[in-house]
Amino acid sequence: MAGFGKFTHAVVRGIPTSLAKEALRTDQLDVVDLEKAQKEHEVYVDVLREKLGLQVIQLPADESLPDCVFVEDAAVVCGDTALITRPGAQSRRNETVAMKSALKEMDLNIVEMTDDNATLDGGDVLFTGLEFFVGLSKRTNQKGADILADAFKDYVVSTVPVLEGLHLKSFCSMGGPGLIIIGSSELAQKTLKIMQQMSDHRYDKLTVPDDIAANCIYMNLPDKGHVLLHCTPEEFPESSKAFEKLKDYILIPVSNMEKGKVDGALTCCSVLINKKAHV
């Protein structure tokens, strides 16, 4: 767990104009303000680069891939290994091409998911530093989870059902070593119980009133210590207050209002990597 949350690089991608009208979404009624979404994303990238000092690799937007800003679904990176996924939505499969190329350039060990029957979205993968939990959802199936287990043999991989919502991380994320941030809905709490029953490890939990607000980005950075990017008070006032319990943390509220309208969450928009310097 010593290296948990330590990151040096982030891969992000621009927002195509096609996001507003063509991105996949569960709620068709919310209108996306493209300009606001792009500004929101600029701030997000700026926080990673300027505030947190990560080296940011920015892939260009691709108009033919409306969801391409949500890079998390295209790869799972742990240590020096990058698993290039096979996203559950057919329209998103080509998003992995640019991601594979970027991760190859970083000298990571690339494992590709080539089984036509396997699907896996990175948004269904929760790495705790000790083990993986993989949500079996509309986008991720058992074969996808099996391939992930094969790629990361050093860790136990457990699967949990995601019966509602898009991904496992639509209602949970890691808030630090041994700390799971979880939404308060019955579904979220039930899923956490299943995860705890499956695990040989004991996790603390921080429950927040709004499920999607439980999707946060935790980092442990030199000169900064514990850092948490989380929802803004404008989006989720009650959930935002809950993070104040994390006393020794640098808390950074980051707006995700527009991208949230197309089911995007904070973790969706970056792939974080800890690249050890070559000696």
Side-chain angles (χ1 to χ4, degrees):
M1 285 292 271
F4 186 68
K6 293 195 187 321
F7 298 109
T8 55
H9 292 68
V11 180
V12 299
R13 195 164 193 177
I15 292 186
T17 55
S18 56
L19 173 112
K21 298 271 193 322
E22 294 169 47
L24 300 170
R25 49 160 76 197
T26 45
D27 185 349
Q28 300 298 331
L29 300 175
D30 270 340
V31 177
V32 176
D33 183 322
L34 184 68
E35 205 174 308
K36 271 190 188 165
Q38 287 169 330
K39 280 198 179 121
E40 201 175 69
H41 192 56
E42 275 170 31
V43 170
Y44 177 93
V45 173
D46 207 47
V47 165
L48 297 177
R49 184 186 282 126
E50 305 303 329
K51 236 181 199 170
L52 301 179
L54 298 184
Q55 288 190 52
V56 174
I57 294 126
Q58 185 141 15
L59 306 177
D62 183 331
E63 287 303 328
S64 71
L65 299 168
D67 294 278
C68 67
V69 65
F70 303 125
V71 289
E72 175 183 52
D73 291 322
V76 177
V77 179
C78 181
D80 291 329
T81 299
L83 174 65
I84 306 301
T85 66
R86 189 169 180 271
Q90 179 80 41
S91 63
R92 300 194 61 194
R93 302 262 159 89
N94 284 340
E95 291 176 29
T96 59
V97 177
M99 177 58 73
K100 179 187 166 187
S101 175
L103 297 178
K104 221 174 184 172
E105 273 184 37
M106 291 182 71
D107 287 334
L108 293 171
N109 306 318
I110 305 288
V111 178
E112 277 194 87
M113 199 173 269
T114 52
D115 186 331
D116 286 351
N117 298 310
T119 60
L120 181 84
D121 275 17
D124 276 316
V125 180
L126 182 72
F127 178 59
T128 71
L130 298 165
E131 61 192 319
F132 283 95
F133 291 104
V134 178
L136 299 182
S137 67
K138 293 184 188 83
R139 300 283 176 84
T140 296
N141 64 18
Q142 185 63 51
K143 279 208 167 160
D146 292 344
I147 292 168
L148 180 132
D150 206 43
F152 302 109
K153 285 191 172 79
D154 291 348
Y155 297 99
V156 170
V157 175
S158 304
T159 57
V160 289
V162 177
L163 302 173
E164 289 168 44
L166 189 63
H167 290 133
L168 176 62
K169 283 193 286 199
S170 298
F171 51 79
C172 70
S173 63
M174 293 308 293
L179 175 67
I180 295 175
I181 302 175
I182 189 82
S184 64
S185 72
E186 196 182 331
L187 168 86
Q189 292 293 319
K190 208 173 176 176
T191 307
L192 179 64
K193 200 170 260 182
I194 293 168
M195 285 156 65
Q196 286 174 323
Q197 284 165 352
M198 285 179 156
S199 180
D200 291 336
H201 307 285
R202 198 191 161 278
Y203 295 101
D204 293 322
K205 70 170 180 173
L206 172 64
T207 300
V208 296
D210 307 280
D211 275 12
I212 195 61
N215 181 283
C216 303
I217 297 174
Y218 167 77
M219 296 185 207
N220 184 357
L221 300 175
D223 309 326
K224 292 184 176 65
H226 300 296
V227 177
L228 195 76
L229 276 58
H230 62 84
C231 64
T232 62
E234 291 74 31
E235 293 168 286
F236 301 107
E238 293 309 309
S239 290
S240 189
K241 267 186 219 156
F243 298 113
E244 289 166 18
K245 293 175 187 160
L246 301 170
K247 293 295 179 203
D248 302 327
Y249 280 51
I250 296 173
L251 298 171
I252 305 176
V254 181
S255 177
N256 195 55
M257 213 172 278
E258 295 305 314
K259 287 176 288 183
K261 292 174 183 176
V262 286
D263 303 327
L266 288 178
T267 62
C268 298
C269 299
S270 54
V271 172
L272 301 175
I273 298 154
N274 185 22
K275 191 86 181 85
K276 293 172 183 67
H278 290 298
V279 180

